[in-house]
Amino acid sequence: MARLVGVVLERFGRLDGAFNNVGGVAAGRSITDLDAAAWRAELDLNLTSVFHCVKHELPALRASAGGGAIVNNASVLGVAGAGGMAAYAAAKHGVVGLTRAAALECARDGIRVNALVTHAVDTPLFHSLAGDHVDAAGLSPIGRLSRPDEVAAFAAFLLSDEAAFVTGAALAAARDERELPDTA
């Protein structure tokens, strides 16, 4: 991340915003079936990676003067739980906590940090986890999977000046309040 931020600064002269859309599922199984290595791999993939992004983006945003914004993709499991997904949910809850802490730490610098809580996005990763016969209508209150371009538009809004008073929030895109299914 240090090198990537350095390339951005070299090429564009400043950093104004970042969308940290990192993660995947490394250890989707029961808590009792997780070993320490699988637990650590999940945290590294889904939380530590976001930490490294934020750690290197904040100094660049501060140096750009005038503020900026960071959006971290947290997943619905950053605010909920699901059987068979304890390590992933713990990591994504950590992303929400990291987001809120970073927002408080840099608010006076004019830098906003928010978490985007996505759920059931029509991506190859989602389909590989959910299987071929997923009931998209049952996964979302609007009756379908969200599209990647819709998530991108929400992230772009949070990065824009139109969201200038929003910081430290975990904002849901079509969040469903029903209990999440057990995936174990």
Side-chain angles (χ1 to χ4, degrees):
M1 276 312 298
R3 277 185 287 147
L4 177 59
V5 170
V7 168
V8 168
L9 295 176
E10 183 179 303
R11 183 171 295 166
F12 300 104
R14 61 183 292 127
L15 178 66
D16 295 307
F19 178 41
N20 298 322
N21 187 31
V22 296
V25 177
R29 52 188 174 269
S30 171
I31 295 169
T32 57
D33 294 333
L34 284 171
D35 60 25
W39 175 264
R40 173 59 52 208
E42 195 75 56
L43 292 179
D44 285 347
L45 177 62
N46 291 293
L47 176 58
T48 305
S49 60
V50 177
F51 160 75
H52 286 292
C53 291
V54 173
K55 174 183 175 59
H56 294 287
E57 293 160 353
L58 283 177
L61 287 166
R62 283 185 176 119
S64 295
I70 295 173
V71 175
N72 297 319
N73 197 350
S75 166
V76 70
L77 292 188
V79 295
M85 299 291 286
Y88 180 83
K92 292 301 186 174
H93 271 77
V95 169
V96 172
L98 172 65
T99 297
R100 289 180 171 149
L104 291 171
E105 192 173 305
C106 62
R108 298 268 186 225
D109 298 321
I111 299 169
R112 297 173 292 106
V113 186
N114 291 293
L116 180 56
V117 177
T118 56
H119 176 65
V121 181
D122 192 2
T123 64
L125 175 63
F126 175 80
H127 287 288
S128 73
L129 294 171
D132 294 332
H133 305 291
V134 64
D135 175 19
L139 286 175
S140 168
I142 58 175
R144 66 172 175 81
L145 300 177
S146 61
R147 297 186 320 264
D149 64 299
E150 292 169 322
V151 173
F154 196 10
F157 165 73
L158 290 173
L159 291 166
S160 78
D161 289 341
E162 294 192 20
F165 202 69
V166 180
T167 194
L171 300 164
R175 179 162 175 216
D176 193 343
E177 296 298 330
R178 294 172 292 184
E179 185 174 328
L180 296 173
D182 187 344
T183 59

Short mmCIF file of all heavy atoms in Angstrom, two decimals, residues 98-160:
data_model
loop_
_atom_site.label_atom_id
_atom_site.label_comp_id
_atom_site.label_asym_id
_atom_site.label_seq_id
_atom_site.Cartn_x
_atom_site.Cartn_y
_atom_site.Cartn_z
N LEU A 98 -12.63 -0.08 12.94
CA LEU A 98 -11.48 0.66 12.41
C LEU A 98 -11.95 1.93 11.71
O LEU A 98 -11.37 3.01 11.89
CB LEU A 98 -10.70 -0.22 11.43
CG LEU A 98 -9.57 0.44 10.64
CD1 LEU A 98 -8.46 0.90 11.57
CD2 LEU A 98 -9.05 -0.53 9.59
N THR A 99 -13.01 1.82 10.94
CA THR A 99 -13.58 2.98 10.24
C THR A 99 -13.99 4.07 11.22
O THR A 99 -13.66 5.25 11.03
CB THR A 99 -14.79 2.53 9.40
OG1 THR A 99 -14.34 1.61 8.39
CG2 THR A 99 -15.49 3.70 8.76
N ARG A 100 -14.70 3.68 12.27
CA ARG A 100 -15.19 4.67 13.24
C ARG A 100 -14.03 5.31 14.00
O ARG A 100 -14.05 6.52 14.25
CB ARG A 100 -16.19 4.01 14.18
CG ARG A 100 -17.49 3.69 13.45
CD ARG A 100 -18.52 3.05 14.32
NE ARG A 100 -19.79 2.99 13.60
CZ ARG A 100 -20.69 2.04 13.78
NH1 ARG A 100 -20.49 1.09 14.67
NH2 ARG A 100 -21.80 2.06 13.08
N ALA A 101 -13.03 4.51 14.36
CA ALA A 101 -11.87 5.06 15.06
C ALA A 101 -11.09 6.02 14.16
O ALA A 101 -10.69 7.10 14.60
CB ALA A 101 -10.97 3.93 15.55
N ALA A 102 -10.88 5.63 12.92
CA ALA A 102 -10.15 6.49 11.98
C ALA A 102 -10.92 7.78 11.73
O ALA A 102 -10.32 8.86 11.63
CB ALA A 102 -9.90 5.75 10.66
N ALA A 103 -12.25 7.69 11.65
CA ALA A 103 -13.07 8.89 11.43
C ALA A 103 -12.88 9.89 12.56
O ALA A 103 -12.74 11.10 12.32
CB ALA A 103 -14.54 8.51 11.29
N LEU A 104 -12.85 9.41 13.78
CA LEU A 104 -12.65 10.30 14.93
C LEU A 104 -11.23 10.86 14.95
O LEU A 104 -11.01 12.02 15.31
CB LEU A 104 -12.93 9.55 16.23
CG LEU A 104 -14.40 9.19 16.46
CD1 LEU A 104 -14.52 8.26 17.67
CD2 LEU A 104 -15.25 10.43 16.62
N GLU A 105 -10.28 10.04 14.55
CA GLU A 105 -8.88 10.45 14.57
C GLU A 105 -8.56 11.55 13.57
O GLU A 105 -7.69 12.39 13.81
CB GLU A 105 -8.01 9.22 14.30
CG GLU A 105 -6.55 9.40 14.55
CD GLU A 105 -5.80 8.08 14.41
OE1 GLU A 105 -6.17 7.11 15.08
OE2 GLU A 105 -4.85 8.05 13.60
N CYS A 106 -9.24 11.58 12.45
CA CYS A 106 -8.86 12.52 11.40
C CYS A 106 -9.96 13.51 11.02
O CYS A 106 -9.80 14.27 10.07
CB CYS A 106 -8.38 11.77 10.17
SG CYS A 106 -9.63 10.72 9.42
N ALA A 107 -11.04 13.55 11.77
CA ALA A 107 -12.15 14.46 11.45
C ALA A 107 -11.71 15.92 11.43
O ALA A 107 -12.11 16.69 10.56
CB ALA A 107 -13.30 14.27 12.43
N ARG A 108 -10.88 16.32 12.37
CA ARG A 108 -10.42 17.72 12.45
C ARG A 108 -9.52 18.10 11.28
O ARG A 108 -9.31 19.27 11.02
CB ARG A 108 -9.69 17.97 13.76
CG ARG A 108 -10.55 17.76 14.97
CD ARG A 108 -11.21 19.05 15.39
NE ARG A 108 -11.92 18.84 16.65
CZ ARG A 108 -13.13 19.28 16.87
NH1 ARG A 108 -13.76 19.96 15.96
NH2 ARG A 108 -13.71 19.06 18.02
N ASP A 109 -9.01 17.09 10.56
CA ASP A 109 -8.21 17.34 9.37
C ASP A 109 -9.08 17.46 8.12
O ASP A 109 -8.56 17.61 7.01
CB ASP A 109 -7.19 16.21 9.16
CG ASP A 109 -6.21 16.10 10.29
OD1 ASP A 109 -5.77 17.15 10.81
OD2 ASP A 109 -5.85 14.96 10.66
N GLY A 110 -10.41 17.35 8.30
CA GLY A 110 -11.31 17.43 7.16
C GLY A 110 -11.38 16.14 6.36
O GLY A 110 -11.87 16.13 5.24
N ILE A 111 -10.92 15.05 6.96
CA ILE A 111 -10.95 13.75 6.28
C ILE A 111 -12.11 12.94 6.85
O ILE A 111 -12.25 12.80 8.05
CB ILE A 111 -9.62 13.00 6.49
CG1 ILE A 111 -8.47 13.82 5.90
CG2 ILE A 111 -9.69 11.61 5.85
CD1 ILE A 111 -7.10 13.31 6.29
N ARG A 112 -12.93 12.44 5.96
CA ARG A 112 -14.08 11.62 6.33
C ARG A 112 -13.76 10.16 6.07
O ARG A 112 -13.15 9.83 5.06
CB ARG A 112 -15.32 12.03 5.54
CG ARG A 112 -15.76 13.46 5.81
CD ARG A 112 -16.87 13.93 4.90
NE ARG A 112 -16.43 14.06 3.52
CZ ARG A 112 -16.72 13.24 2.52
NH1 ARG A 112 -17.51 12.19 2.73
NH2 ARG A 112 -16.27 13.45 1.30
N VAL A 113 -14.19 9.29 6.97
CA VAL A 113 -14.00 7.84 6.81
C VAL A 113 -15.32 7.16 7.12
O VAL A 113 -15.89 7.34 8.19
CB VAL A 113 -12.90 7.30 7.74
CG1 VAL A 113 -12.61 5.82 7.43
CG2 VAL A 113 -11.62 8.13 7.62
N ASN A 114 -15.82 6.40 6.16
CA ASN A 114 -17.09 5.70 6.32
C ASN A 114 -16.96 4.26 5.86
O ASN A 114 -16.05 3.91 5.10
CB ASN A 114 -18.19 6.39 5.49
CG ASN A 114 -18.55 7.74 6.06
OD1 ASN A 114 -19.10 7.82 7.14
ND2 ASN A 114 -18.20 8.79 5.35
N ALA A 115 -17.89 3.44 6.32
CA ALA A 115 -17.94 2.04 5.89
C ALA A 115 -19.20 1.84 5.05
O ALA A 115 -20.28 2.32 5.40
CB ALA A 115 -17.96 1.11 7.10
N LEU A 116 -19.03 1.13 3.99
CA LEU A 116 -20.14 0.76 3.11
C LEU A 116 -20.51 -0.68 3.44
O LEU A 116 -19.67 -1.58 3.38
CB LEU A 116 -19.71 0.90 1.65
CG LEU A 116 -20.71 0.57 0.57
CD1 LEU A 116 -21.98 1.38 0.73
CD2 LEU A 116 -20.10 0.83 -0.79
N VAL A 117 -21.74 -0.90 3.84
CA VAL A 117 -22.21 -2.21 4.24
C VAL A 117 -22.98 -2.81 3.07
O VAL A 117 -24.13 -2.47 2.83
CB VAL A 117 -23.11 -2.09 5.50
CG1 VAL A 117 -23.68 -3.45 5.89
CG2 VAL A 117 -22.32 -1.49 6.65
N THR A 118 -22.31 -3.66 2.34
CA THR A 118 -22.92 -4.28 1.16
C THR A 118 -23.48 -5.65 1.51
O THR A 118 -23.04 -6.30 2.45
CB THR A 118 -21.89 -4.43 0.02
OG1 THR A 118 -20.78 -5.18 0.49
CG2 THR A 118 -21.42 -3.07 -0.46
N HIS A 119 -24.44 -6.09 0.72
CA HIS A 119 -25.08 -7.39 0.93
C HIS A 119 -25.59 -7.91 -0.40
O HIS A 119 -26.23 -7.17 -1.15
CB HIS A 119 -26.24 -7.23 1.91
CG HIS A 119 -27.02 -8.49 2.14
ND1 HIS A 119 -26.47 -9.60 2.73
CD2 HIS A 119 -28.30 -8.80 1.86
CE1 HIS A 119 -27.38 -10.55 2.81
NE2 HIS A 119 -28.50 -10.08 2.28
N ALA A 120 -25.28 -9.14 -0.70
CA ALA A 120 -25.81 -9.81 -1.89
C ALA A 120 -25.54 -9.02 -3.17
O ALA A 120 -26.45 -8.61 -3.87
CB ALA A 120 -27.29 -10.10 -1.72
N VAL A 121 -24.25 -8.84 -3.47
CA VAL A 121 -23.85 -8.14 -4.70
C VAL A 121 -23.58 -9.20 -5.78
O VAL A 121 -22.93 -10.21 -5.54
CB VAL A 121 -22.59 -7.28 -4.47
CG1 VAL A 121 -22.20 -6.54 -5.74
CG2 VAL A 121 -22.84 -6.29 -3.33
N ASP A 122 -24.07 -8.95 -6.96
CA ASP A 122 -23.98 -9.89 -8.07
C ASP A 122 -22.54 -9.94 -8.61
O ASP A 122 -22.20 -9.29 -9.59
CB ASP A 122 -24.95 -9.47 -9.18
CG ASP A 122 -25.14 -10.53 -10.24
OD1 ASP A 122 -24.55 -11.63 -10.12
OD2 ASP A 122 -25.89 -10.26 -11.21
N THR A 123 -21.71 -10.72 -7.92
CA THR A 123 -20.31 -10.89 -8.30
C THR A 123 -19.97 -12.37 -8.36
O THR A 123 -20.68 -13.20 -7.76
CB THR A 123 -19.36 -10.23 -7.28
OG1 THR A 123 -19.49 -10.91 -6.03
CG2 THR A 123 -19.66 -8.74 -7.12
N PRO A 124 -18.90 -12.73 -9.04
CA PRO A 124 -18.49 -14.14 -9.05
C PRO A 124 -18.23 -14.68 -7.64
O PRO A 124 -18.58 -15.83 -7.35
CB PRO A 124 -17.21 -14.13 -9.88
CG PRO A 124 -17.38 -12.96 -10.80
CD PRO A 124 -18.10 -11.93 -9.97
N LEU A 125 -17.65 -13.87 -6.74
CA LEU A 125 -17.41 -14.33 -5.38
C LEU A 125 -18.73 -14.66 -4.68
O LEU A 125 -18.86 -15.72 -4.05
CB LEU A 125 -16.64 -13.29 -4.57
CG LEU A 125 -16.44 -13.64 -3.09
CD1 LEU A 125 -15.61 -14.90 -2.92
CD2 LEU A 125 -15.79 -12.48 -2.35
N PHE A 126 -19.72 -13.79 -4.80
CA PHE A 126 -21.01 -14.06 -4.17
C PHE A 126 -21.60 -15.36 -4.69
O PHE A 126 -22.06 -16.20 -3.92
CB PHE A 126 -22.00 -12.91 -4.40
CG PHE A 126 -23.37 -13.22 -3.87
CD1 PHE A 126 -23.63 -13.09 -2.52
CD2 PHE A 126 -24.37 -13.69 -4.71
CE1 PHE A 126 -24.89 -13.41 -2.01
CE2 PHE A 126 -25.61 -14.01 -4.21
CZ PHE A 126 -25.88 -13.87 -2.86
N HIS A 127 -21.57 -15.56 -6.00
CA HIS A 127 -22.16 -16.77 -6.58
C HIS A 127 -21.39 -18.02 -6.17
O HIS A 127 -21.99 -19.07 -5.96
CB HIS A 127 -22.26 -16.65 -8.10
CG HIS A 127 -23.34 -15.71 -8.53
ND1 HIS A 127 -24.68 -16.01 -8.43
CD2 HIS A 127 -23.28 -14.45 -9.01
CE1 HIS A 127 -25.39 -14.99 -8.86
NE2 HIS A 127 -24.57 -14.03 -9.21
N SER A 128 -20.07 -17.90 -6.02
CA SER A 128 -19.30 -19.07 -5.59
C SER A 128 -19.62 -19.44 -4.15
O SER A 128 -19.59 -20.62 -3.79
CB SER A 128 -17.79 -18.82 -5.75
OG SER A 128 -17.31 -17.92 -4.77
N LEU A 129 -19.96 -18.47 -3.33
CA LEU A 129 -20.33 -18.74 -1.94
C LEU A 129 -21.78 -19.18 -1.79
O LEU A 129 -22.09 -20.06 -1.00
CB LEU A 129 -20.09 -17.50 -1.08
CG LEU A 129 -18.64 -17.07 -0.92
CD1 LEU A 129 -18.58 -15.71 -0.24
CD2 LEU A 129 -17.86 -18.10 -0.14
N ALA A 130 -22.67 -18.56 -2.55
CA ALA A 130 -24.10 -18.82 -2.41
C ALA A 130 -24.56 -20.02 -3.21
O ALA A 130 -25.61 -20.59 -2.91
CB ALA A 130 -24.89 -17.58 -2.82
N GLY A 131 -23.82 -20.40 -4.22
CA GLY A 131 -24.23 -21.53 -5.06
C GLY A 131 -25.04 -21.08 -6.25
O GLY A 131 -25.43 -19.92 -6.38
N ASP A 132 -25.33 -22.03 -7.10
CA ASP A 132 -26.02 -21.73 -8.36
C ASP A 132 -27.52 -21.48 -8.18
O ASP A 132 -28.15 -20.87 -9.03
CB ASP A 132 -25.84 -22.89 -9.34
CG ASP A 132 -24.39 -23.03 -9.78
OD1 ASP A 132 -23.67 -22.02 -9.78
OD2 ASP A 132 -23.99 -24.17 -10.11
N HIS A 133 -28.08 -21.95 -7.11
CA HIS A 133 -29.53 -21.87 -6.96
C HIS A 133 -29.95 -20.89 -5.86
O HIS A 133 -30.89 -21.12 -5.14
CB HIS A 133 -30.09 -23.27 -6.66
CG HIS A 133 -29.70 -24.28 -7.69
ND1 HIS A 133 -30.18 -24.25 -8.97
CD2 HIS A 133 -28.83 -25.31 -7.63
CE1 HIS A 133 -29.64 -25.24 -9.66
NE2 HIS A 133 -28.82 -25.90 -8.87
N VAL A 134 -29.24 -19.78 -5.80
CA VAL A 134 -29.54 -18.77 -4.79
C VAL A 134 -30.87 -18.08 -5.11
O VAL A 134 -31.18 -17.81 -6.28
CB VAL A 134 -28.40 -17.74 -4.67
CG1 VAL A 134 -28.25 -16.94 -5.95
CG2 VAL A 134 -28.61 -16.81 -3.50
N ASP A 135 -31.67 -17.85 -4.08
CA ASP A 135 -32.93 -17.14 -4.22
C ASP A 135 -32.66 -15.65 -4.04
O ASP A 135 -32.74 -15.12 -2.93
CB ASP A 135 -33.93 -17.64 -3.18
CG ASP A 135 -35.25 -16.86 -3.19
OD1 ASP A 135 -35.54 -16.17 -4.20
OD2 ASP A 135 -35.96 -16.92 -2.18
N ALA A 136 -32.32 -14.96 -5.13
CA ALA A 136 -31.98 -13.55 -5.07
C ALA A 136 -33.12 -12.72 -4.50
O ALA A 136 -32.90 -11.78 -3.74
CB ALA A 136 -31.59 -13.03 -6.45
N ALA A 137 -34.35 -13.07 -4.84
CA ALA A 137 -35.50 -12.32 -4.35
C ALA A 137 -35.61 -12.40 -2.84
O ALA A 137 -36.06 -11.47 -2.19
CB ALA A 137 -36.78 -12.82 -5.01
N GLY A 138 -35.16 -13.51 -2.25
CA GLY A 138 -35.25 -13.68 -0.81
C GLY A 138 -34.09 -13.07 -0.05
O GLY A 138 -34.11 -13.00 1.17
N LEU A 139 -33.06 -12.62 -0.74
CA LEU A 139 -31.87 -12.09 -0.09
C LEU A 139 -31.90 -10.58 0.09
O LEU A 139 -31.05 -10.03 0.77
CB LEU A 139 -30.62 -12.45 -0.88
CG LEU A 139 -30.17 -13.90 -0.78
CD1 LEU A 139 -28.99 -14.15 -1.70
CD2 LEU A 139 -29.81 -14.25 0.66
N SER A 140 -32.82 -9.92 -0.53
CA SER A 140 -32.82 -8.46 -0.50
C SER A 140 -34.24 -7.94 -0.40
O SER A 140 -35.15 -8.50 -1.03
CB SER A 140 -32.17 -7.94 -1.79
OG SER A 140 -32.39 -6.57 -1.94
N PRO A 141 -34.44 -6.87 0.35
CA PRO A 141 -35.79 -6.32 0.43
C PRO A 141 -36.30 -5.78 -0.91
O PRO A 141 -37.50 -5.64 -1.09
CB PRO A 141 -35.67 -5.20 1.46
CG PRO A 141 -34.22 -4.91 1.59
CD PRO A 141 -33.49 -6.14 1.17
N ILE A 142 -35.40 -5.50 -1.86
CA ILE A 142 -35.87 -5.03 -3.17
C ILE A 142 -36.01 -6.19 -4.16
O ILE A 142 -36.32 -5.97 -5.32
CB ILE A 142 -34.97 -3.91 -3.73
CG1 ILE A 142 -33.52 -4.34 -3.87
CG2 ILE A 142 -35.08 -2.66 -2.88
CD1 ILE A 142 -32.64 -3.31 -4.52
N GLY A 143 -35.75 -7.41 -3.71
CA GLY A 143 -36.05 -8.59 -4.51
C GLY A 143 -35.04 -8.97 -5.57
O GLY A 143 -35.37 -9.72 -6.49
N ARG A 144 -33.83 -8.47 -5.47
CA ARG A 144 -32.79 -8.85 -6.43
C ARG A 144 -31.43 -8.57 -5.82
O ARG A 144 -31.31 -7.89 -4.82
CB ARG A 144 -32.95 -8.07 -7.74
CG ARG A 144 -32.71 -6.57 -7.59
CD ARG A 144 -32.68 -5.87 -8.96
NE ARG A 144 -32.57 -4.44 -8.84
CZ ARG A 144 -31.43 -3.77 -8.63
NH1 ARG A 144 -30.29 -4.41 -8.49
NH2 ARG A 144 -31.42 -2.45 -8.55
N LEU A 145 -30.41 -9.11 -6.46
CA LEU A 145 -29.05 -8.81 -6.05
C LEU A 145 -28.71 -7.38 -6.46
O LEU A 145 -29.25 -6.87 -7.45
CB LEU A 145 -28.06 -9.76 -6.73
CG LEU A 145 -28.24 -11.25 -6.45
CD1 LEU A 145 -27.23 -12.05 -7.26
CD2 LEU A 145 -28.11 -11.55 -4.98
N SER A 146 -27.84 -6.74 -5.71
CA SER A 146 -27.37 -5.43 -6.14
C SER A 146 -26.30 -5.61 -7.21
O SER A 146 -25.64 -6.65 -7.28
CB SER A 146 -26.82 -4.61 -4.96
OG SER A 146 -25.73 -5.26 -4.37
N ARG A 147 -26.16 -4.64 -8.05
CA ARG A 147 -25.16 -4.69 -9.12
C ARG A 147 -23.88 -3.97 -8.67
O ARG A 147 -23.94 -3.00 -7.90
CB ARG A 147 -25.70 -4.02 -10.38
CG ARG A 147 -26.92 -4.71 -10.97
CD ARG A 147 -27.33 -4.09 -12.32
NE ARG A 147 -27.22 -2.64 -12.37
CZ ARG A 147 -28.23 -1.79 -12.14
NH1 ARG A 147 -29.43 -2.25 -11.88
NH2 ARG A 147 -28.03 -0.49 -12.21
N PRO A 148 -22.73 -4.41 -9.16
CA PRO A 148 -21.49 -3.72 -8.80
C PRO A 148 -21.51 -2.23 -9.12
O PRO A 148 -20.97 -1.43 -8.35
CB PRO A 148 -20.44 -4.46 -9.64
CG PRO A 148 -20.99 -5.84 -9.79
CD PRO A 148 -22.49 -5.63 -9.94
N ASP A 149 -22.17 -1.81 -10.21
CA ASP A 149 -22.21 -0.39 -10.53
C ASP A 149 -23.04 0.40 -9.52
O ASP A 149 -22.77 1.57 -9.26
CB ASP A 149 -22.72 -0.15 -11.97
CG ASP A 149 -24.15 -0.60 -12.18
OD1 ASP A 149 -24.43 -1.81 -12.01
OD2 ASP A 149 -25.00 0.25 -12.51
N GLU A 150 -24.02 -0.25 -8.88
CA GLU A 150 -24.79 0.42 -7.84
C GLU A 150 -23.95 0.63 -6.58
O GLU A 150 -24.02 1.68 -5.94
CB GLU A 150 -26.05 -0.39 -7.51
CG GLU A 150 -27.04 -0.41 -8.66
CD GLU A 150 -28.16 -1.40 -8.48
OE1 GLU A 150 -27.92 -2.51 -7.96
OE2 GLU A 150 -29.30 -1.06 -8.87
N VAL A 151 -23.13 -0.37 -6.25
CA VAL A 151 -22.22 -0.23 -5.12
C VAL A 151 -21.20 0.87 -5.42
O VAL A 151 -20.91 1.71 -4.56
CB VAL A 151 -21.52 -1.57 -4.82
CG1 VAL A 151 -20.45 -1.40 -3.74
CG2 VAL A 151 -22.55 -2.63 -4.39
N ALA A 152 -20.69 0.89 -6.64
CA ALA A 152 -19.72 1.92 -7.03
C ALA A 152 -20.34 3.32 -6.93
O ALA A 152 -19.68 4.26 -6.47
CB ALA A 152 -19.22 1.66 -8.45
N ALA A 153 -21.60 3.46 -7.32
CA ALA A 153 -22.26 4.77 -7.24
C ALA A 153 -22.42 5.21 -5.79
O ALA A 153 -22.24 6.40 -5.47
CB ALA A 153 -23.63 4.71 -7.93
N PHE A 154 -22.73 4.28 -4.89
CA PHE A 154 -22.86 4.61 -3.48
C PHE A 154 -21.50 5.02 -2.91
O PHE A 154 -21.38 6.01 -2.19
CB PHE A 154 -23.44 3.42 -2.72
CG PHE A 154 -23.97 3.73 -1.35
CD1 PHE A 154 -24.12 5.03 -0.88
CD2 PHE A 154 -24.34 2.70 -0.51
CE1 PHE A 154 -24.62 5.29 0.39
CE2 PHE A 154 -24.84 2.95 0.76
CZ PHE A 154 -24.98 4.24 1.21
N ALA A 155 -20.46 4.28 -3.27
CA ALA A 155 -19.10 4.63 -2.82
C ALA A 155 -18.71 6.00 -3.35
O ALA A 155 -18.13 6.82 -2.62
CB ALA A 155 -18.11 3.56 -3.26
N ALA A 156 -19.01 6.26 -4.63
CA ALA A 156 -18.67 7.56 -5.22
C ALA A 156 -19.39 8.69 -4.49
O ALA A 156 -18.81 9.76 -4.26
CB ALA A 156 -19.03 7.58 -6.71
N PHE A 157 -20.65 8.46 -4.12
CA PHE A 157 -21.38 9.48 -3.34
C PHE A 157 -20.67 9.75 -2.01
O PHE A 157 -20.45 10.90 -1.64
CB PHE A 157 -22.83 9.04 -3.07
CG PHE A 157 -23.50 9.85 -2.00
CD1 PHE A 157 -23.90 11.15 -2.25
CD2 PHE A 157 -23.70 9.31 -0.74
CE1 PHE A 157 -24.49 11.92 -1.25
CE2 PHE A 157 -24.30 10.07 0.26
CZ PHE A 157 -24.69 11.38 0.01
N LEU A 158 -20.28 8.68 -1.30
CA LEU A 158 -19.62 8.86 -0.01
C LEU A 158 -18.27 9.55 -0.13
O LEU A 158 -17.82 10.22 0.79
CB LEU A 158 -19.47 7.52 0.71
CG LEU A 158 -20.77 6.90 1.21
CD1 LEU A 158 -20.52 5.50 1.74
CD2 LEU A 158 -21.41 7.79 2.27
N LEU A 159 -17.62 9.40 -1.28
CA LEU A 159 -16.34 10.06 -1.53
C LEU A 159 -16.52 11.51 -1.97
O LEU A 159 -15.58 12.30 -1.92
CB LEU A 159 -15.54 9.30 -2.58
CG LEU A 159 -15.01 7.93 -2.14
CD1 LEU A 159 -14.53 7.13 -3.34
CD2 LEU A 159 -13.90 8.09 -1.12
N SER A 160 -17.73 11.87 -2.39
CA SER A 160 -17.98 13.19 -2.95
C SER A 160 -18.23 14.24 -1.88
O SER A 160 -18.50 13.94 -0.72
CB SER A 160 -19.19 13.14 -3.90
OG SER A 160 -20.40 13.12 -3.15
#
